[in-house]
Amino acid sequence: MMALAVTLALALVAAAIALSFWRLLIGPSAPDRILALDTLYINTIALLILLGLRLNSNLYFEAALLIAVIGFVGTLALCKYLLRGDIIE
Amino acid sequence: MLEALLSLLILAGALFTFIGSLGLARLPDFFTRLHAPTKATTLGVGSLLIASAIHFSTQGEGLSLHEVLVTLFLFITAPVSGHLLGKTGLHLRLPRLGKQADGGLPPGLPPG
């Protein structure tokens, strides 16, 4: 029962990633694309957690944490660049 | 019983993640698009992490607290990045929908 739920959930998250990628491609403005990247990394964290549940492994949380940290810093840097024209003033 | 609860949490989490991305792809202007994923995906990943924490805590290897770290980090950073993205959108004066007299969305919206 849980295997079926995890498979269904993996399909749903994959569809979510496809939708975010669609927004990343069509834009139309730069903040739209940053928002799409932000959503993409959160979706990737969900995918990694589901993979850990499916393979019954604890290893994937470190990867999820790394993606969370680096994705946040990336979003912050891109927003800062658009806001101020510079990242570290 | 436990398995049913876990399945429910996993499906709810995946559904919320999907709805967040659907909003990102379908809503008409930047500020409405900002609204959908920042809330829905946080809720979705939150319930997935709760399911994962329960699953690995009942494997007989003691309490599993990796998930709490990820949850805490996401719940602290999601509002910060949402706020900064909103500020960027305001700064660049992105086009936005006006409010109609009846409070609804304007007619004839371009799809997506």
Side-chain angles (χ1 to χ4, degrees):
Chain A
M1 183 166 154
M2 207 177 108
L4 181 70
V6 170
T7 310
L8 258 171
L10 276 170
L12 273 172
V13 173
I17 288 181
L19 284 171
S20 313
F21 197 69
W22 172 243
R23 180 50 70 190
L24 179 65
L25 283 180
I26 63 172
S29 63
D32 277 308
R33 295 200 160 95
I34 302 175
L35 180 60
L37 279 174
D38 193 71
T39 314
L40 261 179
Y41 91 74
I42 294 180
N43 286 347
T44 314
I45 293 172
L47 200 67
L48 271 176
I49 296 160
L50 285 171
L51 208 64
L53 277 173
R54 191 186 174 89
L55 302 178
N56 211 357
S57 155
N58 249 328
L59 267 175
Y60 291 92
F61 293 111
E62 276 79 11
L65 198 59
L66 272 178
I67 289 181
V69 173
I70 293 173
F72 174 63
V73 172
T75 308
L76 228 60
L78 286 168
C79 282
K80 204 79 183 140
Y81 179 71
L82 283 183
L83 266 177
R84 312 283 296 177
D86 210 342
I87 296 171
I88 301 172
E89 294 163 77
Chain B
M1 182 62 210
L2 186 71
E3 201 159 306
L5 176 72
L6 285 181
S7 307
L8 196 72
L9 275 171
I10 288 169
L11 278 180
L15 205 63
F16 275 121
T17 311
F18 177 72
I19 290 170
S21 290
L22 190 68
L24 175 74
R26 289 294 301 159
L27 285 172
D29 76 341
F30 173 72
F31 297 96
T32 52
R33 284 200 283 267
L34 180 59
H35 172 77
T38 44
K39 287 160 198 69
T41 50
T42 313
L43 193 56
V45 174
S47 29
L48 280 178
L49 283 163
I50 293 171
S52 176
I54 295 174
H55 176 74
F56 285 110
S57 294
T58 50
Q59 294 289 301
E61 293 166 21
L63 209 57
S64 173
L65 289 175
H66 294 79
E67 295 87 353
V68 180
L69 266 181
V70 183
T71 319
L72 212 64
F73 189 82
L74 270 182
F75 278 34
I76 292 171
T77 58
V80 177
S81 52
H83 173 73
L84 258 176
L85 275 165
K87 240 169 108 177
T88 312
L90 283 176
H91 178 72
L92 295 180
R93 295 174 194 282
L94 293 179
R96 53 179 148 168
L97 300 169
K99 198 170 184 184
Q100 299 301 97
D102 59 357
L105 292 176
L109 286 177

